[in-house]
Amino acid sequence: HFTLSDVAMGCALGWLAFRFPEIVWRTEYPNLARLQDKLAARASFLETIMLFFIGNKSGVTTEMMCR
């Protein structure tokens, strides 16, 4: 049973892992870590991974993927 709260939690945990990698929350909260792993493996999450585009001086765009 997949709900909007799963989407919100998956996005929040993914952002936390990306933005604050120094916070080691996965070992302290193993249930949340399992939830994030489960959600990240869903096709709907894999197909909508955030892409950040960074332009360099030559105007070429480089993609950096984050989860």
Side-chain angles (χ1 to χ4, degrees), residues 39-48:
L39 293 173
R42 288 180 58 93
S44 57
F45 273 76
L46 291 171
E47 293 169 359
T48 57

Side-chain angles (χ1 to χ4, degrees), residues 2-63:
F2 186 69
T3 66
L4 184 56
S5 63
D6 294 308
V7 174
M9 187 58 88
C11 291
L13 293 173
W15 179 252
L16 180 65
F18 169 71
R19 182 66 180 93
F20 301 102
E22 68 277 5
I23 298 175
V24 185
W25 60 269
R26 294 180 64 87
T27 54
E28 191 168 341
Y29 302 99
N31 290 339
L32 287 178
R34 281 192 297 276
L35 176 61
Q36 184 196 24
D37 293 342
K38 182 179 173 183
L39 293 173
R42 288 180 58 93
S44 57
F45 273 76
L46 291 171
E47 293 169 359
T48 57
I49 292 172
M50 292 186 297
L51 295 177
F52 290 86
F53 296 95
I54 303 167
N56 61 24
K57 291 180 183 177
S58 67
V60 177
T61 303
T62 305
E63 289 184 65

